[in-house]
């Protein structure tokens, strides 16, 4: 759906509120079809971002797994390798 929305669960350290907000913002942008709402729709847009970010935080905090937490640097390196292979 949205390539810019990253997996945020099972990381050490856990996802920050800013990361969750950014994912919620990207999701709302995709659903609404706009990156910047009009003044008339700005309040609804912001309310949706806050609501989705809150739901996402609750979801991430409640997920349980038996897997070891992932390392952010290792995951970033894997993503860079995939990108290099894709665009080489």
């Amino acid at each position: 759906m949205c390539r810019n929305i990253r997996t945020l669960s099972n990381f050490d350290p856990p996802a920050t509120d800013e990361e969750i907000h950014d994912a919620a913002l990207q999701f709302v942008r995709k659903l609404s079809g706009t990156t910047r709402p009009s003044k008339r729709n700005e309040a609804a847009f912001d309310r949706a971002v806050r609501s989705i970010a809150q739901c996402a935080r609750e979801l991430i905090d409640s997920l349980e797994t038996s897997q070891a937490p992932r390392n952010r640097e290792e995951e970033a390196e894997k993503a860079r390798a995939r990108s290099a292979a894709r665009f080489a």
Side-chain angles (χ1 to χ4, degrees):
M1 183 183 132
C2 293
R3 287 187 226 170
N4 294 338
I5 296 178
R6 305 287 182 230
T7 301
L8 296 176
S9 66
N10 197 28
F11 276 103
D12 188 28
T16 65
D17 288 338
E18 182 179 352
E19 290 172 314
I20 292 173
H21 176 269
D22 291 346
L25 177 60
Q26 187 66 27
F27 183 72
V28 171
R29 285 175 173 167
K30 185 71 169 186
L31 287 178
S32 67
T34 183
T35 57
R36 185 170 294 158
S38 65
K39 290 287 184 188
R40 177 182 234 168
N41 294 321
E42 193 170 13
F45 193 91
D46 292 343
R47 191 170 47 250
V49 171
R50 283 192 309 272
S51 177
I52 291 169
Q54 180 182 355
C55 291
R57 170 53 75 192
E58 290 174 15
L59 172 65
I60 290 169
D61 289 346
S62 65
L63 291 175
E64 297 179 11
T65 182
S66 60
Q67 299 293 319
R70 293 177 285 184
N71 181 291
R72 290 176 186 279
E73 293 303 319
E74 290 174 7
E75 295 299 319
E77 184 58 39
K78 289 179 193 176
R80 283 191 288 274
R82 285 190 305 270
S83 180
R86 181 178 179 197
F87 297 108

